[in-house]
Amino acid sequence: MPDPSTLFESAGIGDRVALARLLSLVERGGDESRSVAGLAFKSPGEAYTVGITGAPGAGKSTLTDHLIATGRQRGLGTADHRAAGADGPVGGGQVAVLAIDPSSPFSGGAILGDRVRMQSHALDDGVFIRSMATRGHLGGLSVAVPDAVRLLSAVGVPIVFIETVGVGQQEVAVAAAADTTMVVVNPGWGDAVQANKAGLLEIGDLFVINKADRPDTRETRRDLELMLDLTELGPWRPPIVETVATTGDGIDQLWEAVRRHRRHLLDEGLLEEIRHRRLVRELHQIVGLHLEEQIGALMETEDGRRITGAVAAGDLDPYAGAERLLSSLLSIPDDGSVDL
Amino acid sequence: MPDPSTLFESAGIGDRVALARLLSLVERGGDESRSVAGLAFKSPGEAYTVGITGAPGAGKSTLTDHLIATGRQRGLGTADHRAAGADGPVGGGQVAVLAIDPSSPFSGGAILGDRVRMQSHALDDGVFIRSMATRGHLGGLSVAVPDAVRLLSAVGVPIVFIETVGVGQQEVAVAAAADTTMVVVNPGWGDAVQANKAGLLEIGDLFVINKADRPDTRETRRDLELMLDLTELGPWRPPIVETVATTGDGIDQLWEAVRRHRRHLLDEGLLEEIRHRRLVRELHQIVGLHLEEQIGALMETEDGRRITGAVAAGDLDPYAGAERLLSSLLSIPDDGSVDL
């Protein structure tokens, strides 16, 4: 297989197979992933990310399917923004979808996406669909997904959808790290309350009541409005959009809401701010992952094995054992000096 | 408040308030928790732990309620084991219950237990019931519970029940770390399959079909037997016991199964082995928790803030930032030499 920088060059001029291979490297973690991340970081690109989350069965895949088409046709900006040069690349460019499924034993691989629902775009060269599972290690998804987004951005994709399969903690965190996060609920007693319980209310930049041709849509909207009333909101009050994903009803309004939220972030200078915060969070996570690896290595040293043996035998309590192990691993200088 | 060693002394001669305070310290974590753990480690005691896990609503609390009474009356050993001196303290001694509820905002505090169901034992001096939630940090439960068990053991409690409220990953891990772990299911289509999916089949030393007066008990037993047939088992095949916790039916057989499993562990020399392994796991977890704290401290150093700022500004990629931060934190000597 060609090395990462050759692949990166090819992906930059539209080679989808090269892009798929790079994403596999990113997903796998390790040294090659690291060098892909470095390449991507140097050519940041301008991708805007849209997170789509909600309970299984809420209709997220069908919604995403429509959003792909709408995103392709209408893009993110408007003519005058383009003129003002404030938005970077806009309009009917490429679209990528990262479908996040931490529980899936299958990861990546399929160049055109492995989900039946998205097959309508399978022959569209402007659409790149990818399933992502966790890499082997804890916290893997929260490191792999930002890397994947950065890669897609670097090769020129202007819009990246991040769709979660469920509402697990990891998935919600990943969706919440998008520029615009939409939370999908269905009409019906308690669905909004469930979303609240799952921590979705705090992360939604906009709410979608999908299957809005069903009864109880009005009640669900009222529930959501009430809960938003009770939440401390900033200057942006998340709009609630009704859709019927199976027919495409409401998709235009939904896309318009995404554009309005993006406009809001740009106008208030918030987009840069949230992206900075996200980078710092990534830094924390990467440091954490490194330290975990170090624990493993430490346990395998001669003294690591000796201390472990003493703890196992009950001769040394686990806290004392931990202290001895760590005293060799850690040495923060008093003045905190680090070469930069 | 008296210092830990004074409390420990009082708890050792039956002071329940002192014991409750010590458990609060353990739950809270930090330096005082550490010194309680040290005291407990020095007087190990002989507590045998019984984990009780299964889906919410399976009847675990009612079962535990009966097991408390039975454990009090009958103890763990038999007369000839006692004569042989092989079992340590046995017979109708004290019993403690740790009810693990990581999601609960309430933790500890109540000396006699805060759950209505267990109020029947509220005036029994030989029964100590305690709810435990997570301490503030990740992995807290898996460190706090072994510490709590060790403390109870050190003050002379011979039997500790560890009952989980749900089947969350943390709770299952904690229940699985007992000497004997029982998994409670109910009759009904798919309950055994659900238990399997939740990873309960691998951790069960014995299975309880509670509410066995309901239809489908036979089918559930068959499902369990089949799944056990398909599982790679050691010399111990987990028995399946039927109970009706509301009436107390089957509790004697269940207790007998616990005693048989304990006997098996002692006869095969396995009890010591699993306890050693558990101590090593604790060591890993404590090291991990320490390292997490170190990350926080590192980020607050002058250079930590400078590197974080460079990453946030996009001048330094998160991986490079992590490397620079870690180079100051970590220094494993090549020969792995650590003072022991």
Side-chain angles (χ1 to χ4, degrees):
Chain A
M1 195 159 105
D3 65 70
S5 52
T6 312
L7 287 172
F8 188 72
E9 222 168 276
S10 306
I13 53 171
D15 182 341
R16 297 164 64 88
V17 176
L19 179 53
R21 283 181 172 174
L22 288 169
L23 281 168
S24 291
L25 293 179
V26 163
E27 200 173 20
R28 209 175 296 146
D31 286 350
E32 279 183 318
S33 169
R34 168 76 185 80
S35 71
V36 176
L39 290 164
F41 196 84
K42 275 183 215 132
S43 3
E46 300 276 354
Y48 191 81
T49 51
V50 178
I52 301 158
T53 190
K60 297 186 297 293
S61 295
T62 317
L63 265 180
T64 305
D65 208 16
H66 284 287
L67 289 171
I68 290 169
T70 310
R72 287 273 283 147
Q73 284 158 24
R74 299 182 44 198
L76 272 167
T78 57
D80 55 278
H81 300 146
R82 251 174 298 181
D87 294 33
V90 289
Q94 287 182 299
V95 164
V97 179
L98 295 174
I100 309 301
D101 188 0
S103 64
S104 171
F106 308 104
S107 77
I111 296 162
L112 295 169
D114 51 5
R115 292 178 324 146
V116 175
R117 289 234 185 87
M118 289 181 179
Q119 291 307 317
S120 54
H121 305 288
L123 297 175
D124 182 347
D125 259 3
V127 180
F128 191 93
I129 299 172
R130 175 80 182 199
S131 281
M132 286 192 89
T134 39
R135 294 189 283 193
H137 45 61
L138 194 74
L141 206 53
S142 53
V143 175
V145 173
D147 276 346
V149 167
R150 207 148 34 221
L151 171 62
L152 290 163
S153 183
V155 302
V157 178
I159 303 174
V160 178
F161 293 103
I162 304 172
E163 182 204 328
T164 72
V165 170
V167 286
Q169 228 179 338
Q170 269 198 79
E171 291 167 281
V172 168
V174 163
D179 297 324
T180 297
T181 300
M182 62 175 78
V183 171
V184 185
V185 301
N186 290 154
W189 192 84
D191 212 44
V193 177
Q194 289 308 319
N196 190 11
K197 278 193 189 163
L200 296 179
L201 214 72
E202 295 140 45
I203 66 161
D205 297 310
L206 54 97
F207 291 88
V208 185
I209 306 178
N210 188 37
K211 307 184 186 175
D213 51 347
R214 286 205 194 155
D216 297 331
T217 299
R218 208 159 36 153
E219 285 73 10
T220 300
R221 174 182 281 274
R222 209 180 44 206
D223 288 351
L224 281 172
E225 295 283 11
L226 179 69
M227 287 190 293
L228 288 173
D229 287 342
L230 297 172
T231 308
E232 216 161 316
L233 296 167
W236 174 261
R237 184 182 171 100
I240 300 168
V241 183
E242 295 174 19
T243 60
V244 183
T246 45
T247 64
D249 279 3
I251 300 293
D252 283 349
Q253 289 88 323
L254 178 55
W255 190 247
E256 203 42 52
V258 171
R259 286 162 59 134
R260 250 185 301 134
H261 182 246
R262 174 168 176 273
R263 195 67 249 152
H264 164 76
L265 293 180
L266 287 169
D267 289 347
E268 306 287 324
L270 293 169
L271 188 56
E272 210 179 354
E273 195 182 312
I274 61 175
R275 287 178 174 182
H276 287 183
R277 269 209 301 270
R278 231 181 275 152
L279 282 166
V280 173
R281 211 178 308 139
E282 261 188 81
L283 173 66
H284 281 239
Q285 276 157 342
I286 293 166
V287 169
L289 292 173
H290 271 285
L291 288 180
E292 265 170 56
E293 281 172 16
Q294 293 294 342
I295 298 177
L298 191 61
M299 295 291 181
E300 288 310 311
T301 61
E302 191 185 319
D303 282 319
R305 285 200 299 271
R306 194 149 49 95
I307 291 170
T308 302
V311 168
D315 297 333
L316 193 65
D317 86 66
Y319 288 93
E323 257 169 38
R324 294 200 188 175
L325 278 171
L326 287 164
S327 68
S328 76
L329 181 65
L330 302 178
S331 67
I332 302 185
D334 286 340
D335 62 348
S337 58
V338 183
D339 279 341
L340 185 68
Chain B
M1 195 161 103
D3 64 71
S5 53
T6 311
L7 288 172
F8 188 72
E9 221 166 278
S10 306
I13 53 170
D15 182 339
R16 297 165 65 88
V17 176
L19 179 54
R21 282 180 173 174
L22 288 168
L23 281 168
S24 293
L25 293 179
V26 163
E27 199 172 23
R28 210 177 295 146
D31 286 349
E32 279 183 319
S33 170
R34 168 77 184 78
S35 71
V36 176
L39 290 164
F41 196 84
K42 275 180 216 135
S43 2
E46 300 276 356
Y48 191 82
T49 52
V50 178
I52 301 157
T53 191
K60 298 186 297 293
S61 295
T62 318
L63 265 181
T64 306
D65 207 16
H66 284 286
L67 289 171
I68 291 169
T70 310
R72 286 274 282 150
Q73 285 157 23
R74 299 181 46 199
L76 273 167
T78 57
D80 54 278
H81 299 144
R82 249 174 299 181
D87 295 31
V90 288
Q94 287 182 297
V95 163
V97 179
L98 295 174
I100 309 301
D101 187 0
S103 64
S104 170
F106 308 105
S107 76
I111 295 162
L112 295 169
D114 52 5
R115 293 178 326 147
V116 176
R117 290 232 186 87
M118 291 181 178
Q119 291 306 315
S120 54
H121 305 288
L123 297 176
D124 181 347
D125 259 3
V127 180
F128 191 93
I129 299 171
R130 176 81 182 199
S131 281
M132 286 193 89
T134 38
R135 295 192 282 193
H137 44 61
L138 194 74
L141 207 52
S142 54
V143 176
V145 174
D147 275 347
V149 168
R150 207 150 30 222
L151 171 62
L152 291 164
S153 184
V155 302
V157 179
I159 304 174
V160 179
F161 292 103
I162 304 173
E163 182 203 329
T164 73
V165 171
V167 286
Q169 228 178 337
Q170 270 198 77
E171 290 165 282
V172 169
V174 164
D179 297 322
T180 296
T181 301
M182 61 175 79
V183 171
V184 185
V185 300
N186 290 153
W189 192 85
D191 212 43
V193 177
Q194 288 309 318
N196 190 11
K197 278 195 189 162
L200 296 179
L201 214 72
E202 295 140 46
I203 65 161
D205 298 310
L206 54 98
F207 291 88
V208 186
I209 306 179
N210 189 37
K211 306 184 187 175
D213 50 347
R214 289 205 194 154
D216 297 332
T217 298
R218 208 158 37 152
E219 286 75 9
T220 301
R221 173 181 281 274
R222 210 179 44 209
D223 289 352
L224 281 172
E225 295 283 9
L226 179 69
M227 289 191 292
L228 289 172
D229 286 343
L230 297 171
T231 308
E232 216 162 316
L233 296 168
W236 174 260
R237 182 178 172 102
I240 300 169
V241 183
E242 296 175 18
T243 59
V244 182
T246 46
T247 64
D249 279 4
I251 300 294
D252 283 349
Q253 290 87 323
L254 179 55
W255 191 246
E256 203 43 51
V258 171
R259 285 162 59 134
R260 251 186 298 133
H261 181 246
R262 173 169 177 271
R263 196 66 249 152
H264 163 76
L265 293 179
L266 286 169
D267 288 347
E268 305 288 323
L270 293 169
L271 188 57
E272 209 180 356
E273 194 183 311
I274 61 175
R275 287 179 174 182
H276 287 183
R277 271 208 300 270
R278 230 181 276 153
L279 281 166
V280 173
R281 211 178 308 137
E282 261 189 81
L283 173 66
H284 280 239
Q285 276 157 341
I286 293 166
V287 169
L289 292 172
H290 270 286
L291 288 179
E292 264 170 54
E293 282 173 15
Q294 294 293 342
I295 298 177
L298 191 61
M299 295 291 182
E300 288 310 312
T301 61
E302 192 185 320
D303 283 318
R305 284 199 300 271
R306 195 148 50 94
I307 291 171
T308 302
V311 169
D315 296 334
L316 192 66
D317 86 65
Y319 288 93
E323 258 169 39
R324 294 200 188 177
L325 277 171
L326 288 164
S327 68
S328 77
L329 181 65
L330 302 178
S331 66
I332 302 186
D334 286 340
D335 62 347
S337 60
V338 181
D339 278 341
L340 186 67

